[in-house]
Amino acid sequence: VQLQASGGGLVQPGGSLRLSCVASGSTLDYLSIGWFRQAPGKEREGVSCDSVNDGYIYYSDSVRGRFTFSRDNAENTVYLQLDSLKPEDTAVYYCAPVFCLTDGPVAFGSWGQGTLVTVSS
C-alpha cells in the first residue's frame, strides 16, 4: 500500500487544519493507520493511530483533546483533524501502516511523503 499525506499549511495559533492520508494499491479496511510528526531537530513521534481490530484510538499526551482521528473506508482515506493548534505542533506530518498499541503506534512498511504544518502568527 502507498500512503500520501496532504492538507498541511500555515495557520495561526488556535487555528485548525485537517490532514488527509489517501491510500493506493490496497484497501484501508484491514489496515491500522498511524499519524506521526517530525519537528526540526527532533525525532519522529507517533501522535495518533487506530486499531481496526477493536476500534481503539490512541492519542499522545501532547495532542489528546485537540486532535481527532477518523477514517472513511469508502474513500480509502484517513483523516487527522488538528484543532487549537500551537506553535509546538509545527512539524512534517506523516501517515503509515502501524500496529496501534496502547503506548503508541509502531510503523511498518514504507513511509510516504509527509505534509508540513506550520503554526505561527
Side-chain angles (χ1 to χ4, degrees), residues 3 9 28-29 44 56 70 75 83 87-88 90 93-94 101 107 115:
L3 299 178
L28 285 183
D29 292 20
R44 190 174 296 180
Y56 169 73
S70 63
E75 296 293 328
D83 296 317
E88 52 263 44
T90 295
Y93 285 72
Y94 303 85
L101 308 178
T115 186

Side-chain angles (χ1 to χ4, degrees), residues 23-39:
S24 59
S26 179
T27 178
L28 285 183
D29 292 20
Y30 307 109
L31 272 180
S32 299
I33 301 296
W35 285 98
F36 299 79
R37 68 184 181 185
Q38 188 165 21

Side-chain angles (χ1 to χ4, degrees), residues 61-82:
D61 290 344
S62 60
V63 308
R64 187 177 297 112
R66 300 188 298 120
F67 291 8
T68 304
F69 185 107
S70 63
R71 63 164 61 213
D72 185 340
N73 285 342
E75 296 293 328
N76 227 26
T77 302
V78 167
Y79 302 99
L80 189 67
Q81 177 70 34
L82 284 56

